[in-house]
């Protein structure tokens, strides 16, 4: 797996949300993406995932240009993402939720085969007993697990997780943690956005810090923690709040 | 009842089968006048169920459905008038024409959210109506376009009754089959959350357009059948209140169930005839029922009845919870 | 050339009335974020209200009935809003976007048929405001039409005053910009919703009452004005007051000139609203926010 982002720019009207962002990921790296509010983290994820069309720059996944692909095509190339507020299909069952991406990306495998695979995935997420429940009857944390299950069905090489731990019950947090570590061992790469500093520092081998649409730090967590620019970015925000 | 409970049947289909038996034997049971009523009822049922597919399943709340119906009917009628196109061929051509326009409209509407979609389709419908009224040299406008009857000189209504019923069943089967495939899954996902559906691999563009093309073709088909039955077309078939009636039928029946919407249409059409003496108040009743159903029984009035009468499958419990919430 | 100015004058005099009605629709959209598909029916009810009030109180001058007709319809609108739209803004309705479209469309269907049942299909005509025709040089208008235009102009002025100079107007503007921020300063957005919907209904009704002596009242008299209102608010920009006013005048002109210069006079009138509808479709496709609308992120 090789992700290359070069000088990525995204504007909304007069606001420059991403200002020439460049980064590189390979193999099964686990990268944490942090930054103050409004720094452009979600915009970066949304642009890479195909929701926004870049105004400048390139995005290459495994050597192929994915910058102008639609979200469903990006998933097809092996890049999956979750949403900050979980967006499972509320009035569809958990099983149906998992079947959607499976049948969308690889319909030829057939319903039967995908259904047994879905049950394996749900088992792994300890949710098999909920498979026929409507997603809307699940807790927020469980809906996040459903999203992860959906991703797993398409076996992506790179997963973009937007606040996977936000508002999650501690017990479920463990499940999500296990999910990430297990998949990492299987060779998958992660970009994780989180405000939860403890989890991020534990999970990430590498931290990307975004501030006002630009990457101001890129390195191992220890180094980033003591980086002047990073401290300024966060302190600066706090000073404004005061 | 207990026997029914053991059958692995989808609830609506069991009741549908019963209705089918009644429908097939109707000519033996009622007079010609009521056959006409039911034939028109089946016509509306084709429209209501196809609208339910577009709106209730795929989430595209278009207000232009009657326009596609009119395209079907008028295409066949006009080609019959100027080129002597026989009714059967007209039915085919009319259906395809409606589908073609549906493709264009569907493609144009891709970016539109609920309100804008409604506005655009209502505008499209009105522009079309104006064109039909405004070009009487082609369409005979308000005077009415005479259309060749499908069964020529045959006076009996029976063949028309069975024809409309046949096409209703074929359309329901086709639409139901579609919703049982992965396409149905994708359409529902699009309705639930279009952006999430795209993020989960669904080619939203393709399936939205597909929904439009298919449902507009079906509406067009209904239009041609109607035209070659009543043998006359006027622009009044596509006025906005007609769209309102179809929506009322689908919503009161149950917009998420094709069969419920179809049954709703037949029931309302029959009721409208049965309540003849109330004249204009009939539609007031159904108008009120539409608004009240929307507010307090989103899933419709008929659909939940099916689900409650014939509990089948493990999903029933959680599904009932959803139904009870008036989701 | 005088033909052009004559058409222009006709267009503008109708345009202010279109603007008045469209303003009601835009007000409703701007505060409630809902397109009122029953707007034409409020217009129709205004016409009937003026007819029946004048029928009951024959001594009243027709002009005095305009605000009364508006008030009666506004009350009706208020009841509907409380019963069917407020739950939406309280989070008690699933899939509110779909609901909003269907519920006002359903109301339209209901009101149209109610009018048909109550009043019958035959036209009703309230008494004229003033008799005769007025010669303005470039154009000759019936006194009724001119009165309607002038009254509409006055009402537009009063409305602008209300929106810009009164507390209610400020509160409405606040809610239309940011509901939560308005709540923080103590403005109850639910109350504003009701007020806006009632006002919108009232404006449509007054437009209907003003034009009733000129165009008569039938149950479906609101169908064309309602489509026209959609055209205007999309052209002007949904939620924009200046947009509705300018849009109303523009559509008035477009219709007048379109009909006036249409190659085939016998079909011109039928296509009157078509010109606006084509503009409408084009705006939706190429510049959805219209002239003054906000760009949705």
């Amino acid at each position: 797996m090789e992700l290359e982002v070069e000088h990525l720019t995204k504007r909304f009207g007069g606001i420059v949300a991403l200002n020439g962002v460049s980064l590189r990921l390979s193999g099964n790296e686990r990268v944490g993406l942090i930054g103050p509010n409004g720094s452009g983290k979600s915009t970066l994820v949304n642009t890479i995932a195909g929701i926004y069309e870049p105004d400048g720059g390139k995005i290459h996944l495994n050597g192929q240009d994915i910058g102008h692909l639609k979200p469903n095509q990006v998933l097809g190339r092996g890049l999956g993402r979750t949403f900050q507020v979980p967006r499972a299909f509320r009035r569809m069952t958990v099983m149906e939720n998992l079947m959607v991406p499976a049948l969308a990306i690889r319909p030829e495998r057939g319903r039967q085969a995908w259904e047994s695979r879905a049950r394996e995935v749900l088992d792994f997420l300890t949710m098999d007993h909920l498979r026929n429940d409507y997603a809307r009857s699940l807790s927020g944390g469980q809906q996040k697990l459903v999203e992860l299950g959906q991703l797993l069905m398409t076996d992506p090489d790179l997963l973009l997780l937007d606040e996977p731990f936000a508002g999650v019950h501690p017990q479920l947090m463990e499940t999500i943690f296990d999910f990430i570590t297990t998949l990492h061992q299987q060779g998958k790469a992660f970009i994780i956005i989180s405000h939860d500093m403890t989890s991020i520092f534990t999970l990430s081998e590498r931290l990307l810090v975004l501030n006002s649409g630009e990457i101001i730090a890129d390195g191992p967590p220890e180094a980033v923690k003591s980086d002047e620019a990073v401290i300024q970015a966060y302190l600066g925000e706090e000073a404004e709040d005061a | 009842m207990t026997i029914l409970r053991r059958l692995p049947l989808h609830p609506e289909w069991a009741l549908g089968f019963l209705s089918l038996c009644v429908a097939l034997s109707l000519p033996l049971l009622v007079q010609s006048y009521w056959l006409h009523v039911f034939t028109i009822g089946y016509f509306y049922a084709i429209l209501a169920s196809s609208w339910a597919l577009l709106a209730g399943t795929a989430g595209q709340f278009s207000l232009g459905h009657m326009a596609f119906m009119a395209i079907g009917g008028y295409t066949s009628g006009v080609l019959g008038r100027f080129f002597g196109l026989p009714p059967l061929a007209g039915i085919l051509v009319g259906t395809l024409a409606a589908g073609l326009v549906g493709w264009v409209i569907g493609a144009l509407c891709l970016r539109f959210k609920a309100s804008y979609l409604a506005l655009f389709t209502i505008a499209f419908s009105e522009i079309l109506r104006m064109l039909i009224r405004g070009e009487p040299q082609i369409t005979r406008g308000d005077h009415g376009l005479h259309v060749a009857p499908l069964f020529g000189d045959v006076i009996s209504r029976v063949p028309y009754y069975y024809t409309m019923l046949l096409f209703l069943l074929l359309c329901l089967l086709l639409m139901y089959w579609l919703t049982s495939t992965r396409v149905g899954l994708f359409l529902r996902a699009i309705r639930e959350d279009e952006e999430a559906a795209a993020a989960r691999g669904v080619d939203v563009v393709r399936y939205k357009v597909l929904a439009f093309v298919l449902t507009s073709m079906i509406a067009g088909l209904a239009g041609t059948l109607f035209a070659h039955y009543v043998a006359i077309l006027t622009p009044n078939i596509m006025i906005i209140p007609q769209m309102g009636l179809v929506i009322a039928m689908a919503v009161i029946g149950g917009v998420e169930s094709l069969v419920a919407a179809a049954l709703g249409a037949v029931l309302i059409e029959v009721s409208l005839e049965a309540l003849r003496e109330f004249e204009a108040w009939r539609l007031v009743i159904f108008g009120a029922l539409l608004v009240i159903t929307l507010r307090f029984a989103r899933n419709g009035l008929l659909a939940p009845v099916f689900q409650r009468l014939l509990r089948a499958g493990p999903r029933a419990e959680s599904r009932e919870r959803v139904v009870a919430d008036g989701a | 050339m005088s033909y052009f100015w004559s058409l222009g004058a006709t267009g503008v005099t109708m345009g202010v009335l279109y603007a008045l009605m469209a303003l009601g629709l835009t007000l409703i959209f701007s505060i409630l974020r809902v397109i009122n598909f029953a707007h034409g029916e409020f217009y129709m009810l205004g016409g009937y209200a003026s007819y029946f009030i004048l029928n009951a109180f024959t001594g009243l001058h027709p002009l005095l009935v305009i605000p009364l007709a508006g008030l009666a319809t506004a009350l009706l609108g208020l009841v509907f809003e409380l019963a069917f739209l407020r739950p939406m803004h309280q989070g008690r309705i699933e899939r509110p976007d779909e609901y909003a479209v269907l519920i006002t469309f359903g109301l339209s269907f209901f009101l149209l048929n109610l009018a048909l049942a109550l009043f019958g299909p035959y036209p009703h005509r309230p008494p004229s405001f003033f008799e005769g025709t007025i010669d303005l040089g470039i154009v000759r208008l019936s006194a009724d039409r001119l009165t309607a235009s002038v009254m509409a102009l006055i009402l537009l002025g009063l409305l602008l005053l209300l929106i810009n100079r009164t507390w209610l107007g400020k509160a409405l503007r606040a809610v239309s910009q940011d509901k939560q921020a308005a709540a923080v300063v103590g403005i109850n957005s639910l109350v504003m919703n009701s007020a806006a919907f009632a006002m919108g209904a009232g404006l449509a009704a007054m437009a209907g009452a003003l034009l009733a002596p000129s165009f008569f009242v039938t149950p479906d008299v609101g169908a064309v004005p309602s489509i026209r209102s959609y055209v205007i608010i999309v052209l002007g920009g949904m939620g924009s007051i200046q947009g509705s006013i300018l849009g109303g005048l523009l559509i008035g002109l477009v219709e007048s000139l379109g009909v006036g210069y249409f190659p085939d006079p016998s079909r011109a009138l039928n296509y009157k609203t078509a010109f606006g509808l084509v503009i409408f479709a084009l705006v939706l496709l190429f510049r959805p926010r219209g002239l003054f609308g906000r760009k949705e992120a």
Side-chain angles (χ1 to χ4, degrees):
Chain A
M1 194 297 295
E2 184 89 26
L3 177 74
E4 271 180 53
V5 176
E6 272 175 69
H7 302 300
L8 195 63
T9 310
K10 181 64 194 167
R11 276 175 234 111
F12 295 110
I15 302 170
V16 181
L18 296 176
N19 193 13
V21 170
S22 298
L23 60 102
R24 255 211 178 111
L25 245 100
S26 48
N28 64 345
E29 288 193 70
R30 278 172 310 178
V31 177
L33 179 59
I34 62 174
N37 284 326
S39 53
K41 305 192 292 294
S42 281
T43 309
L44 182 60
V45 167
N46 282 334
T47 310
I48 294 176
I51 290 185
Y52 299 143
E53 182 91 24
D55 292 316
K58 291 200 209 119
I59 309 171
H60 286 260
L61 182 68
N62 296 328
Q64 293 176 316
D65 188 349
I66 63 167
H68 301 283
L69 293 184
K70 292 185 288 185
N72 58 297
Q73 294 167 312
V74 171
L75 181 65
R77 299 291 176 92
L79 198 161
R81 58 82 56 89
T82 61
F83 291 93
Q84 195 170 344
V85 178
R87 288 164 86 163
F89 303 117
R90 293 169 55 81
R91 285 162 331 121
M92 290 165 75
T93 63
V94 171
M95 175 61 89
E96 286 173 328
N97 267 274
L98 264 65
M99 292 300 279
V100 169
L103 291 170
I105 300 296
R106 291 247 309 272
E108 60 280 2
R109 196 164 160 187
R111 215 156 195 171
Q112 297 272 43
W114 276 125
E115 272 179 9
S116 21
R117 175 70 186 136
R119 295 206 58 181
E120 277 171 32
V121 169
L122 287 173
D123 229 0
F124 173 60
L125 292 166
T126 67
M127 286 183 80
D128 187 59
H129 59 291
L130 297 168
R131 69 183 180 283
N132 287 321
D133 282 17
Y134 282 85
R136 59 169 284 180
S137 61
L138 302 179
S139 70
Q142 287 173 319
Q143 287 188 29
K144 276 194 189 276
L145 285 183
V146 170
E147 276 200 316
L148 294 177
Q150 288 176 313
L151 282 193
L152 209 48
M153 293 297 283
T154 62
D155 204 28
D157 298 320
L158 171 60
L159 289 88
L160 304 176
L161 305 182
D162 198 341
E163 299 284 358
F165 304 110
V168 175
H169 192 271
Q171 194 164 26
L172 281 175
M173 263 177 93
E174 250 195 72
T175 315
I176 299 177
F177 227 86
D178 287 340
F179 174 89
I180 296 174
T181 30
T182 309
L183 262 73
H184 167 71
Q185 279 159 12
Q186 288 175 7
K188 304 199 181 304
F190 285 84
I191 298 180
I192 304 171
I193 301 179
S194 187
H195 278 111
D196 183 352
M197 289 303 168
T198 340
S199 316
I200 267 280
F201 274 71
T202 326
L203 271 175
S204 323
E205 309 158 328
R206 187 176 144 203
L207 274 184
L208 283 167
V209 187
L210 208 58
N211 189 28
S212 301
E214 291 175 10
I215 300 227
I216 58 173
D218 182 349
E222 283 312 308
V224 167
K225 216 162 56 164
S226 41
D227 185 313
E228 267 295 314
V230 174
I231 298 171
Q232 263 301 319
Y234 275 97
L235 272 182
E237 188 196 51
E238 278 168 40
E240 273 167 41
D241 288 346
Chain B
M1 272 304 164
T2 31
I3 308 166
L4 288 165
R5 228 175 268 231
R6 295 224 190 86
L7 289 172
L9 283 173
H10 212 271
E12 292 118 22
W13 277 115
L15 201 58
F17 180 70
L18 280 166
S19 316
L20 177 62
C21 292
V22 174
L24 284 171
S25 46
L26 207 71
L28 302 169
L29 304 169
V30 300
Q31 291 173 317
S32 177
Y33 170 72
W34 283 101
L35 274 189
H36 168 74
V37 174
F38 274 89
T39 308
I40 299 295
Y42 298 152
F43 159 71
Y44 277 113
I46 298 176
L47 290 171
S49 55
S50 51
W51 188 80
L53 178 63
L54 185 63
T57 307
Q60 308 304 301
F61 284 77
S62 147
L63 297 178
H65 210 53
M66 302 309 267
F68 295 116
M69 181 270 289
I71 289 174
Y74 269 97
T75 303
S76 183
V78 167
L79 289 176
R81 181 184 179 210
F82 288 104
F83 302 108
L85 191 71
L88 270 179
I91 289 174
L92 185 64
V93 177
T95 304
L96 290 173
L100 187 66
V101 180
W103 184 51
V104 173
I105 297 296
L108 290 174
C109 283
L110 285 169
R111 290 179 285 134
F112 294 149
K113 300 215 171 77
S115 299
Y116 283 94
L117 177 70
L119 283 177
F120 187 78
T121 49
I122 230 184
F124 159 63
S125 187
E126 284 296 283
I127 291 177
L128 187 72
R129 190 171 67 89
M130 245 172 266
L131 277 170
I132 292 176
R133 285 187 82 202
E135 305 299 315
Q137 70 280 19
I138 301 177
T139 64
R140 299 275 302 148
D142 284 326
H143 299 291
L145 176 70
H146 288 278
V147 177
L150 181 59
F151 293 100
D153 292 329
V154 174
I155 297 179
S156 168
R157 287 185 169 139
V158 177
Y160 291 99
Y161 171 84
Y162 280 121
T163 308
M164 199 67 85
L165 177 61
L166 173 70
F167 277 102
L168 170 63
L169 294 172
L170 287 175
C171 289
L172 281 176
L173 271 163
L174 173 67
M175 290 191 289
Y176 193 81
W177 168 79
L178 189 73
T179 56
S180 68
T181 66
R182 66 178 193 268
V183 178
L185 213 56
F186 298 157
L187 292 177
R188 285 164 59 207
I190 290 173
R191 181 185 182 201
E192 282 305 306
D193 190 332
E194 203 177 298
E195 211 173 64
R200 301 286 164 248
V202 178
D203 189 342
V204 174
V205 169
R206 181 187 199 187
Y207 290 105
K208 263 188 172 179
V209 172
L210 177 73
F212 262 100
V213 170
L214 180 68
T215 57
S216 59
M217 275 178 73
I218 293 175
L221 172 66
T224 62
L225 293 173
F226 178 80
H228 291 289
Y229 169 47
V230 300
I232 186 157
L233 282 177
T234 70
N236 282 334
I237 50 167
M238 61 181 298
I239 55 175
I240 303 293
Q242 277 291 302
M243 184 74 244
L245 182 60
V246 169
I247 290 179
M249 290 166 163
V251 169
I252 291 172
V255 81
E256 291 178 16
S257 159
L258 303 174
V259 172
L263 270 168
V266 177
L267 270 167
I268 290 182
E269 178 60 27
V270 169
S271 307
L272 283 172
E273 282 307 309
L275 299 170
R276 238 184 189 213
E277 56 210 44
F278 289 90
E279 294 175 348
W281 288 100
R282 299 174 287 172
L283 288 170
V284 178
I285 296 170
F286 287 114
L289 204 56
L290 165 61
V291 173
I292 292 171
T293 306
L294 271 172
R295 171 69 185 90
F296 298 109
R298 267 312 261 291
N299 286 348
L301 297 177
L302 293 181
V305 170
F306 299 163
Q307 280 157 12
R308 255 171 241 242
L309 272 179
L310 302 147
R311 300 167 198 217
R315 268 166 63 181
E317 292 77 50
S318 67
R319 190 192 256 198
E320 263 176 43
R321 261 186 282 128
V322 174
V323 164
D325 291 344
Chain C
M1 203 48 196
S2 64
Y3 184 56
F4 176 79
W5 292 114
S6 163
L7 288 173
T10 313
V12 167
T13 49
M14 285 311 288
V16 278
L17 281 145
Y18 297 166
L20 187 70
M21 185 176 175
L23 202 53
L25 191 61
T26 231
L27 196 63
I28 292 174
F29 180 79
S30 133
I31 310 292
L32 289 99
R33 295 268 170 260
V34 157
I35 299 200
N36 177 23
F37 284 100
H39 210 57
E41 275 63 44
F42 291 143
Y43 173 94
M44 175 263 290
L45 288 175
Y48 277 113
S50 74
Y51 174 84
F52 284 109
I53 296 175
L54 284 167
N55 218 27
F57 303 101
T58 44
L60 283 177
H61 187 276
L63 268 183
L64 292 171
V65 174
I66 304 297
L68 288 174
L71 196 64
T73 313
L75 275 167
L76 207 95
L78 180 67
V79 169
F80 176 78
E81 198 277 335
L82 288 171
F84 295 99
L85 293 181
R86 181 168 282 207
M88 214 174 81
H89 293 99
Q90 289 171 317
R92 283 153 58 191
I93 305 277
E94 285 248 343
R95 301 181 306 290
D97 301 327
E98 298 173 2
Y99 177 82
V101 168
L102 291 178
I103 199 83
T104 55
F105 193 73
L107 176 69
S108 154
F109 183 71
F110 172 74
L111 287 175
L112 178 78
N113 286 301
L114 185 67
L116 197 56
L118 282 173
F119 310 130
Y122 301 107
H124 289 67
R125 188 183 175 278
S128 288
F129 302 121
F130 301 106
E131 300 289 341
T133 47
I134 316 268
D135 194 328
L136 293 173
I138 42 171
V139 68
R140 291 179 79 209
L141 289 171
S142 69
D144 280 341
R145 289 269 293 259
L146 190 61
T147 312
S149 296
V150 170
M151 281 303 296
L153 209 56
I154 294 173
L155 286 168
L156 276 172
L158 286 172
L159 193 71
L160 284 174
L161 240 125
L162 184 142
I163 288 179
N164 291 314
R165 296 290 166 89
T166 66
W167 182 88
L168 176 63
K170 253 200 201 125
L172 287 169
R173 277 182 291 141
V175 170
S176 85
Q177 280 178 29
D178 191 333
K179 245 187 285 204
Q180 284 165 340
V184 166
V185 294
I187 299 173
N188 185 337
S189 70
L190 292 176
V191 171
M192 288 302 128
N193 286 349
S194 305
F197 197 81
M199 282 169 70
L203 287 167
M206 287 195 282
L210 284 170
L211 285 174
S214 308
F215 294 111
F216 309 175
V217 193
T218 56
D220 62 352
V221 75
V224 168
S226 91
I227 302 273
R228 190 181 286 128
S229 300
Y230 308 147
V231 172
I232 293 170
I233 66 166
V234 165
L235 175 63
M238 307 234 267
S240 160
I241 291 173
Q242 343 148 250
S244 303
I245 297 177
L246 190 60
L249 292 169
L250 276 172
I251 293 297
L253 281 168
V254 163
E255 283 189 2
S256 186
L257 293 168
V259 168
Y261 286 112
F262 199 72
D264 182 354
S266 66
R267 296 189 345 240
L269 214 54
N270 172 65
Y271 284 113
K272 187 170 170 191
T273 35
F275 309 113
L277 279 169
V278 170
I279 293 180
F280 173 81
L282 291 172
V283 171
L284 273 182
L285 288 172
F286 298 112
R287 196 187 153 104
R289 63 186 154 113
L291 294 169
F292 299 103
R294 274 173 266 178
K295 201 170 196 182
E296 313 257 301

